[in-house]
Amino acid sequence: MKDWNEKCAVVGIYNAHNASILSYYALFAMQHRGQEASGISAANGEKIFTHKNNGLVTKVFDEPTLKKLQGIASIGHNRYSTAGEDSIDDCQPIFAKYSLGELAIVHNGNLTNAKKVRKGLIDEGAIFQSHLDTENLIHLIAKSHKSQLVDRITDALGKIEGAYALVFLSRTKMFAVRDRYGLRPLSLGKITNPDGSIGYIVASETCAFDLIGAEYIRDVNPGEMLVFEGAYSKHIPIPKSIKIFEPNPKPCIFEYVYFARPDSKVFGRNVYEIRKQMGIELAKEHNIQADMVIPVPDSGVAAAIGFSKQSGVPFELGIIRNHYVGRTFIEPTQTARELKVKLKLNPIAELIADKEIIVIDDSIVRGTTSKQIIKILKQAGAKKIHLFISSPPTISPCYYGVDTPEKSQLICANHTLEEVREFIGADSLAFLSLEGLKKSIQSSDDEAFCQACFDGNYITIPQE
């Protein structure tokens, strides 16, 4: 499924001798969450240095650039736009000088009252340099009359609504915070420096910890702020925890379906095991036999393995993904859209010709990508194609940092199951139930997730 756009990665490194390099590797590990732009800010106790640009992590940074980002604290960001435009002004980190010194911010999420807050700030004389909702925070912090940065941040957070995992970097301190719902993920880890001193990392996914050898400690709690200070001491204290808001946890359930890397631990659970269980539950709900089960790579692989395990239908890698396809600068015609799918996905005709196959994908949004996948499989000679989706039908757009289309463009929100099946051209179509998804996550009765994309029940909606 390729109609969802992954939604940004953030990282913060504190008290590490090569902080900017560690941020670089963490962002590299989380490249799947955003491919439009990347940026890093580093602090050395006196000044903040920032470098950012459009493009992948490996394009934006090289060794000379990273050497210029001096300091033992740094923050970083991979961007896929949900608010803002495709320009360098809308890359993160956002940086500004203000009365208390210098400040850089990275943000994963979407502020649902951003337009209202921005208008109020402009009416009071604020001048904005970007289209980002994150820039509201710079102005709110600068306007606060509190004498300490931690109090100014708390002031600013009290004026915004929506989804956020935020990391702030001053010249000497770092702050990490999640909204009261914990919609977007943020985990805390420990770094052991070569001299034996201890540093810390916060990141959107724990796959970033694995690459740099950090030890997972716990998630940052919903409504919690962690304060990192004392960076220039060999033995810094553990981050100070401040309860900013009364927590009301409703983490995004779609992190498990698609966004997160399967080797990550998100919201305290391993993503791969959950996706495999989704495939098991899908097979329990829809008992069907065929010659083989094949995944749409890469997000459908774990669910297809689970489906094969439960159903007994053999698993095969019938579709191969080209991982080296970037953006294609051609007109968005129907021919171009079909070519885009072929550039990324290629079926093994010798394997699937004259076979009845079960295709496992993670979701259907507009339906156009699924239609093209079914088409290329039929052209490769598949005799019969059953498309099984390891999540419920997507019926509502997301306002919390996920770039979904308007409801009018969501095929499952406007058509019956049979109409969707007919449009995409599969011989049969089935979805995992919402109950099956929750069972896969093994959530307790009193544990709630944000599942507005599947049931339309929003926590908070945008304000004009």
Side-chain angles (χ1 to χ4, degrees):
M1 190 283 300
K2 305 295 176 286
D3 289 291
W4 290 93
N5 292 323
E6 300 101 319
K7 282 307 119 230
C8 302
V10 297
V11 62
I13 304 287
Y14 197 77
N15 203 48
H17 307 304
N18 50 354
S20 63
I21 294 175
L22 294 181
S23 284
Y24 168 85
Y25 283 120
L27 292 176
F28 180 85
M30 299 186 292
Q31 186 73 86
H32 60 285
R33 296 187 71 89
Q35 299 88 42
E36 284 191 355
S38 187
I40 293 174
S41 291
N44 67 358
E46 297 178 353
K47 185 176 177 58
I48 294 176
F49 306 89
T50 299
H51 180 79
K52 57 184 179 178
N53 210 335
N54 293 315
L56 301 176
V57 176
T58 51
K59 176 186 175 184
V60 174
F61 298 100
D62 55 22
E63 189 173 356
T65 302
L66 289 169
K67 283 184 177 179
K68 293 177 183 178
L69 298 173
Q70 295 296 319
I72 60 174
S74 69
I75 61 174
H77 187 269
N78 284 337
R79 179 173 185 257
Y80 200 114
S81 60
T82 58
E85 297 183 357
D86 189 13
S87 74
I88 192 170
D89 290 335
D90 291 334
C91 301
Q92 296 187 44
I94 294 287
F95 169 80
K97 296 181 179 181
Y98 72 119
S99 61
L100 296 185
E102 298 179 349
L103 183 66
I105 307 175
V106 291
H107 172 206
N108 177 25
N110 233 35
L111 305 183
T112 54
N113 67 338
K115 289 183 180 180
K116 180 180 178 181
V117 172
R118 185 186 184 101
K119 183 180 183 304
L121 289 166
I122 291 174
D123 289 345
E124 294 174 1
I127 299 173
F128 281 77
Q129 301 297 318
S130 77
H131 300 88
L132 293 176
D133 55 354
T134 315
E135 193 177 355
N136 288 348
L137 287 163
I138 287 282
H139 291 285
L140 292 171
I141 289 168
K143 282 172 55 66
S144 173
H145 298 295
K146 297 295 178 66
S147 60
Q148 299 294 320
L149 177 54
V150 64
D151 297 320
R152 290 194 179 201
I153 292 174
T154 303
D155 258 4
L157 295 176
K159 295 178 174 65
I160 64 171
E161 296 177 9
Y164 52 84
L166 291 156
V167 190
F168 302 82
L169 181 68
S170 73
R171 291 171 296 182
T172 59
K173 298 178 182 180
M174 189 174 82
F175 308 83
V177 62
R178 286 175 75 195
D179 63 75
R180 72 186 73 204
Y181 307 109
L183 282 157
R184 305 263 66 88
L186 192 64
S187 298
L188 170 68
K190 183 174 71 173
I191 299 167
T192 302
N193 293 310
D195 64 359
S197 62
I198 298 300
Y200 294 96
I201 176 175
V202 289
S204 298
E205 292 189 32
T206 61
C207 61
F209 298 1
D210 299 334
L211 186 57
I212 68 170
E215 176 188 342
Y216 171 79
I217 298 175
R218 65 175 178 89
D219 283 358
V220 179
N221 294 319
E224 179 186 31
M225 179 192 291
L226 295 181
V227 181
F228 301 80
E229 54 188 337
Y232 299 89
S233 167
K234 188 171 181 179
H235 301 289
I236 68 169
I238 61 172
K240 179 182 177 183
S241 174
I242 301 175
K243 187 176 181 181
I244 303 294
F245 300 112
E246 191 63 37
N248 183 18
K250 286 183 173 60
C252 171
I253 204 166
F254 212 83
E255 288 284 348
Y256 292 127
V257 175
Y258 178 62
F259 297 139
R261 252 175 56 165
D263 53 334
S264 284
K265 181 182 289 187
V266 171
F267 308 136
R269 297 176 173 91
N270 177 262
V271 175
Y272 176 81
E273 290 299 330
I274 286 174
R275 288 184 185 161
K276 190 166 73 170
Q277 190 62 39
M278 286 157 59
I280 291 172
E281 296 300 329
L282 186 61
K284 289 179 180 178
E285 293 182 0
H286 304 282
N287 185 14
I288 188 171
Q289 291 298 306
D291 293 309
M292 67 184 71
V293 176
I294 66 173
V296 175
D298 289 323
S299 56
V301 172
I305 292 172
F307 190 99
S308 175
K309 177 182 177 181
Q310 177 64 30
S311 66
V313 179
F315 172 91
E316 296 284 358
L317 288 173
I319 304 174
I320 303 303
R321 179 183 175 188
N322 183 350
H323 290 83
Y324 303 98
V325 176
R327 290 189 175 186
T328 53
F329 295 94
I330 50 180
E331 292 299 315
T333 61
Q334 181 61 31
T335 301
R337 283 190 287 268
E338 293 181 13
L339 179 60
K340 185 178 179 181
V341 174
K342 290 181 179 179
L343 284 169
K344 291 186 177 182
L345 303 173
N346 190 44
I348 302 175
E350 293 81 0
L351 180 66
I352 66 176
D354 299 319
K355 298 293 195 304
E356 183 173 348
I357 60 176
I358 299 168
V359 179
I360 306 292
D361 206 352
D362 58 86
S363 57
I364 295 178
V365 182
R366 292 182 178 90
T368 51
T369 300
S370 298
K371 182 183 180 75
Q372 292 308 315
I373 290 170
I374 298 302
K375 182 177 180 179
I376 63 174
L377 288 171
K378 286 187 173 180
Q379 289 173 342
K383 181 174 64 176
K384 204 170 185 180
I385 304 171
H386 308 281
L387 180 60
F388 281 17
I389 307 299
S390 59
S391 68
T394 302
I395 62 169
S396 300
C398 178
Y399 301 121
Y400 311 128
V402 181
D403 188 18
T404 49
E406 294 296 321
K407 189 164 186 172
S408 61
Q409 296 179 292
L410 297 173
I411 190 169
C412 293
N414 300 283
H415 297 278
T416 65
L417 181 67
E418 176 57 24
E419 288 171 339
V420 176
R421 183 205 64 77
E422 186 175 349
F423 173 78
I424 64 178
D427 292 281
S428 70
L429 173 65
F431 292 83
L432 179 65
S433 68
L434 189 53
E435 293 72 21
L437 177 57
K438 291 180 179 179
K439 190 180 294 185
S440 302
I441 300 170
Q442 296 181 332
S443 59
S444 60
D445 293 338
D446 59 349
E447 183 179 24
F449 285 85
C450 177
Q451 54 199 37
C453 53
F454 299 137
D455 64 12
N457 295 322
Y458 293 105
I459 298 167
T460 177
I461 59 175
Q463 302 175 25
E464 294 299 327

PDB file of all heavy atoms in Angstrom, residues 260-271:
ATOM      1  N   ALA A 260       5.710   2.194  11.247  1.00  0.00           N
ATOM      2  CA  ALA A 260       6.936   1.823  11.947  1.00  0.00           C
ATOM      3  C   ALA A 260       7.681   0.698  11.229  1.00  0.00           C
ATOM      4  O   ALA A 260       7.088  -0.145  10.555  1.00  0.00           O
ATOM      5  CB  ALA A 260       6.612   1.397  13.370  1.00  0.00           C
ATOM      6  N   ARG A 261       9.016   0.710  11.387  1.00  0.00           N
ATOM      7  CA  ARG A 261       9.819  -0.393  10.887  1.00  0.00           C
ATOM      8  C   ARG A 261       9.526  -1.637  11.714  1.00  0.00           C
ATOM      9  O   ARG A 261       9.322  -1.550  12.933  1.00  0.00           O
ATOM     10  CB  ARG A 261      11.310  -0.041  10.987  1.00  0.00           C
ATOM     11  CG  ARG A 261      11.948   0.224   9.652  1.00  0.00           C
ATOM     12  CD  ARG A 261      13.370   0.672   9.744  1.00  0.00           C
ATOM     13  NE  ARG A 261      14.256  -0.230  10.466  1.00  0.00           N
ATOM     14  CZ  ARG A 261      15.586  -0.150  10.415  1.00  0.00           C
ATOM     15  NH1 ARG A 261      16.155   0.791   9.667  1.00  0.00           N
ATOM     16  NH2 ARG A 261      16.332  -0.981  11.110  1.00  0.00           N
ATOM     17  N   PRO A 262       9.482  -2.814  11.089  1.00  0.00           N
ATOM     18  CA  PRO A 262       9.116  -4.023  11.834  1.00  0.00           C
ATOM     19  C   PRO A 262      10.079  -4.386  12.952  1.00  0.00           C
ATOM     20  O   PRO A 262       9.701  -5.099  13.883  1.00  0.00           O
ATOM     21  CB  PRO A 262       9.076  -5.111  10.754  1.00  0.00           C
ATOM     22  CG  PRO A 262       9.826  -4.554   9.598  1.00  0.00           C
ATOM     23  CD  PRO A 262       9.651  -3.079   9.656  1.00  0.00           C
ATOM     24  N   ASP A 263      11.330  -3.898  12.898  1.00  0.00           N
ATOM     25  CA  ASP A 263      12.281  -4.207  13.962  1.00  0.00           C
ATOM     26  C   ASP A 263      12.231  -3.204  15.101  1.00  0.00           C
ATOM     27  O   ASP A 263      13.041  -3.284  16.030  1.00  0.00           O
ATOM     28  CB  ASP A 263      13.700  -4.292  13.403  1.00  0.00           C
ATOM     29  CG  ASP A 263      14.106  -3.065  12.605  1.00  0.00           C
ATOM     30  OD1 ASP A 263      13.221  -2.385  12.072  1.00  0.00           O
ATOM     31  OD2 ASP A 263      15.314  -2.786  12.497  1.00  0.00           O
ATOM     32  N   SER A 264      11.283  -2.273  15.051  1.00  0.00           N
ATOM     33  CA  SER A 264      11.142  -1.288  16.123  1.00  0.00           C
ATOM     34  C   SER A 264      10.195  -1.768  17.208  1.00  0.00           C
ATOM     35  O   SER A 264       9.306  -2.598  16.970  1.00  0.00           O
ATOM     36  CB  SER A 264      10.617   0.042  15.563  1.00  0.00           C
ATOM     37  OG  SER A 264      11.620   0.756  14.888  1.00  0.00           O
ATOM     38  N   LYS A 265      10.397  -1.200  18.384  1.00  0.00           N
ATOM     39  CA  LYS A 265       9.433  -1.334  19.475  1.00  0.00           C
ATOM     40  C   LYS A 265       8.700   0.000  19.560  1.00  0.00           C
ATOM     41  O   LYS A 265       9.321   1.046  19.776  1.00  0.00           O
ATOM     42  CB  LYS A 265      10.145  -1.636  20.794  1.00  0.00           C
ATOM     43  CG  LYS A 265       9.204  -1.816  21.967  1.00  0.00           C
ATOM     44  CD  LYS A 265       9.976  -2.072  23.254  1.00  0.00           C
ATOM     45  CE  LYS A 265      10.610  -3.442  23.267  1.00  0.00           C
ATOM     46  NZ  LYS A 265      11.215  -3.753  24.577  1.00  0.00           N
ATOM     47  N   VAL A 266       7.380  -0.023  19.351  1.00  0.00           N
ATOM     48  CA  VAL A 266       6.579   1.201  19.346  1.00  0.00           C
ATOM     49  C   VAL A 266       5.473   1.060  20.383  1.00  0.00           C
ATOM     50  O   VAL A 266       4.788   0.028  20.439  1.00  0.00           O
ATOM     51  CB  VAL A 266       5.981   1.469  17.951  1.00  0.00           C
ATOM     52  CG1 VAL A 266       4.984   2.614  17.991  1.00  0.00           C
ATOM     53  CG2 VAL A 266       7.091   1.792  16.954  1.00  0.00           C
ATOM     54  N   PHE A 267       5.325   2.087  21.210  1.00  0.00           N
ATOM     55  CA  PHE A 267       4.357   2.053  22.307  1.00  0.00           C
ATOM     56  C   PHE A 267       4.575   0.803  23.168  1.00  0.00           C
ATOM     57  O   PHE A 267       3.628   0.184  23.661  1.00  0.00           O
ATOM     58  CB  PHE A 267       2.914   2.093  21.799  1.00  0.00           C
ATOM     59  CG  PHE A 267       2.622   3.221  20.844  1.00  0.00           C
ATOM     60  CD1 PHE A 267       1.888   2.997  19.682  1.00  0.00           C
ATOM     61  CD2 PHE A 267       3.071   4.508  21.098  1.00  0.00           C
ATOM     62  CE1 PHE A 267       1.621   4.030  18.797  1.00  0.00           C
ATOM     63  CE2 PHE A 267       2.803   5.546  20.209  1.00  0.00           C
ATOM     64  CZ  PHE A 267       2.077   5.311  19.062  1.00  0.00           C
ATOM     65  N   GLY A 268       5.835   0.417  23.300  1.00  0.00           N
ATOM     66  CA  GLY A 268       6.204  -0.688  24.179  1.00  0.00           C
ATOM     67  C   GLY A 268       6.036  -2.077  23.598  1.00  0.00           C
ATOM     68  O   GLY A 268       6.246  -3.068  24.303  1.00  0.00           O
ATOM     69  N   ARG A 269       5.684  -2.182  22.290  1.00  0.00           N
ATOM     70  CA  ARG A 269       5.448  -3.491  21.690  1.00  0.00           C
ATOM     71  C   ARG A 269       6.264  -3.648  20.408  1.00  0.00           C
ATOM     72  O   ARG A 269       6.458  -2.691  19.665  1.00  0.00           O
ATOM     73  CB  ARG A 269       3.965  -3.685  21.384  1.00  0.00           C
ATOM     74  CG  ARG A 269       3.048  -3.690  22.605  1.00  0.00           C
ATOM     75  CD  ARG A 269       1.598  -3.782  22.135  1.00  0.00           C
ATOM     76  NE  ARG A 269       0.650  -3.957  23.225  1.00  0.00           N
ATOM     77  CZ  ARG A 269       0.056  -2.970  23.858  1.00  0.00           C
ATOM     78  NH1 ARG A 269       0.324  -1.712  23.532  1.00  0.00           N
ATOM     79  NH2 ARG A 269      -0.805  -3.206  24.832  1.00  0.00           N
ATOM     80  N   ASN A 270       6.671  -4.891  20.107  1.00  0.00           N
ATOM     81  CA  ASN A 270       7.428  -5.175  18.896  1.00  0.00           C
ATOM     82  C   ASN A 270       6.502  -5.164  17.685  1.00  0.00           C
ATOM     83  O   ASN A 270       5.492  -5.866  17.645  1.00  0.00           O
ATOM     84  CB  ASN A 270       8.128  -6.532  19.011  1.00  0.00           C
ATOM     85  CG  ASN A 270       8.859  -6.900  17.741  1.00  0.00           C
ATOM     86  OD1 ASN A 270       8.353  -7.648  16.925  1.00  0.00           O
ATOM     87  ND2 ASN A 270      10.044  -6.346  17.547  1.00  0.00           N
ATOM     88  N   VAL A 271       6.860  -4.388  16.679  1.00  0.00           N
ATOM     89  CA  VAL A 271       6.000  -4.187  15.512  1.00  0.00           C
ATOM     90  C   VAL A 271       5.893  -5.455  14.671  1.00  0.00           C
ATOM     91  O   VAL A 271       4.809  -5.814  14.212  1.00  0.00           O
ATOM     92  CB  VAL A 271       6.526  -3.009  14.659  1.00  0.00           C
ATOM     93  CG1 VAL A 271       5.715  -2.870  13.380  1.00  0.00           C
ATOM     94  CG2 VAL A 271       6.480  -1.720  15.471  1.00  0.00           C
TER      95      VAL A 271
END
